[in-house]
């Protein structure tokens, strides 16, 4: 896993090369909305991309995680179906429903049944390398290829390519410093329940960190977003709990009002938890800053796995669940 995390900057560069080659055959016109289906490590890419095009894309980009397909998804909507393995049950279920409704689909995968189905039905597909053992380590392919897909669909211009390449350079340059900081923070999260907070616009960063703590570090954690948490979760902070560690992800793209909210919330929360960490992003664009925090969080999850004596690669419980379901 450490090699895969360290390979993230190069993965971004490779993903850009793949993205430049994407040639979609079916580009619907008009196009009312884009539905992105995917689970876990293959679903979170959609969350990031939807956030980055929030103030740019003229149609809704909605991410769905599960078996169901909302009633509004009919042409002229279209869909991106994302599964790294190509074999995830929920995602394949959505794929079949999309086909029944004749919704144009773009399959994003490294192979598996999704690739077979897409080939058999002439569905557009974007293939990413199949030599990565963990879908969650393929976030770079997921975010970059989905950005190029939206560009090809005519929904956004190519504001992202330079940001991804700059992010790759930034992360490479900062790797040593990030690893040192990550190791220090991980050391203080051992045996703690981590409460993770990001501000509006950066929520996927908090989600990613929570998922990496779950899957890499084999620990539970919770994540929340400001300002929404000010209207509910904050009320739960009444009693001291020394098992709690708080992590705030902060960026230059946080609004002034939300920063004030964090400052006030922090005064309420900090005395009741064991420790508080404020992680500040670096980089010159929203994408760079988000990926800086992702990379820092990924390394924290790896050092935490090491400190807890956990194998950061195995996800035996997910494999067990998928296998048990396939037998039923
Ligand atoms: C494993 C991981 C999982 C998978 C999920 C869906 O590394 O991150 O969250 O991504 O089980 O599988 P795929 O990505 O193959 O559709």
């Amino acid at each position: 896993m450490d090699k895969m995390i360290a390979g993230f900057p190069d993965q971004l560069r490779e993903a850009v090369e793949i993205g430049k080659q994407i040639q979609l055959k079916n580009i619907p016109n008009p196009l009312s909305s884009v539905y992105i289906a995917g689970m876990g490590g293959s679903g979170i890419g959609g969350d990031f991309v939807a956030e980055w095009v929030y103030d740019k894309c003229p149609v809704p980009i909605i991410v769905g995680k599960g078996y169901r397909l909302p009633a509004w998804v009919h042409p002229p909507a279209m869909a991106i179906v994302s599964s790294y393995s190509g074999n995830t049950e929920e995602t394949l279920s959505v794929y079949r429903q999309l086909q029944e409704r004749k919704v144009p689909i773009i399959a994003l995968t490294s192979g598996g049944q999704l690739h077979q189905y897409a080939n058999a039905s002439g569905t557009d597909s974007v293939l990413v390398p199949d030599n990565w053992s963990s879908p969650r380590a393929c976030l770079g392919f997921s975010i970059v290829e989905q950005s190029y897909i939206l560009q090809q669909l005519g929904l956004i211009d190519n504001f992202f390519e330079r940001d991804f390449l700059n992010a790759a350079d930034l992360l490479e340059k900062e790797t040593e410093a990030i690893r040192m900081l990550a190791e220090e923070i991980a050391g203080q999260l051992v045996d703690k329940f981590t409460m993770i907070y990001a501000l509006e616009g950066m929520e996927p960063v908090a989600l990613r960190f929570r998922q990496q703590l779950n899957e890499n570090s084999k620990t539970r954690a919770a994540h929340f977003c400001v300002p929404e948490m000010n209207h509910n979760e904050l009320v739960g902070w009444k009693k001291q709990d020394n098992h709690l560690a708080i992590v705030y992800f902060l960026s230059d793209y946080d609004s002034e009002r939300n920063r004030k909210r964090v400052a006030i919330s922090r005064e309420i929360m900090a005395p009741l938890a064991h420790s508080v960490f404020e992680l500040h992003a670096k980089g010159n664009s929203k994408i760079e800053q988000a990926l800086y925090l992702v990379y820092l969080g990924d390394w924290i999850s790896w050092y935490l796995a090491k400190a807890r004596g956990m194998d950061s690669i195995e996800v035996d419980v997910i494999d067990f669940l998928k296998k048990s379901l396939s037998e039923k």
Side-chain angles (χ1 to χ4, degrees), residues 39-42 82-86 88 134-136 215 315 318 322:
M39 305 301 296
S42 291
S82 165
S83 168
Y84 184 74
S85 65
T88 298
S134 306
R136 62 188 180 280
E215 292 183 71
V315 283
I318 299 181
K322 286 182 178 177

Side-chain angles (χ1 to χ4, degrees), residues 24 42 47 54 56 117 127 200 204 218 241-242 294 302:
L24 301 178
S42 291
D47 296 315
Y54 190 88
K56 296 180 169 62
Y117 295 165
L127 268 186
E200 191 179 9
K218 276 65 187 181
D241 186 343
N242 281 328
V294 164
W302 184 77

Side-chain angles (χ1 to χ4, degrees), residues 1 4 37-44 82-92 108-110 114 133-138 208 211-212 215-216 312-315 318-319 322:
M1 184 55 71
M4 288 195 274
M39 305 301 296
S42 291
I44 190 169
S82 165
S83 168
Y84 184 74
S85 65
N87 294 323
T88 298
E89 181 177 296
E90 301 92 315
T91 313
L92 291 174
L108 175 57
T109 184
S110 73
L114 181 57
S133 64
S134 306
R136 62 188 180 280
C138 296
R208 167 69 173 187
Q211 293 181 348
Q212 294 291 73
E215 292 183 71
N216 290 349
S312 53
I313 294 230
E314 66 87 2
V315 283
I318 299 181
D319 298 339
K322 286 182 178 177

Side-chain angles (χ1 to χ4, degrees), residues 26-28 31 74-80 98 101-106 123:
N26 312 309
I27 301 184
L31 174 54
H74 278 283
M78 74 165 308
I80 299 172
L98 288 162
R101 295 191 202 172
K102 304 204 173 357
V103 176
I105 303 169
I106 298 157
T123 300

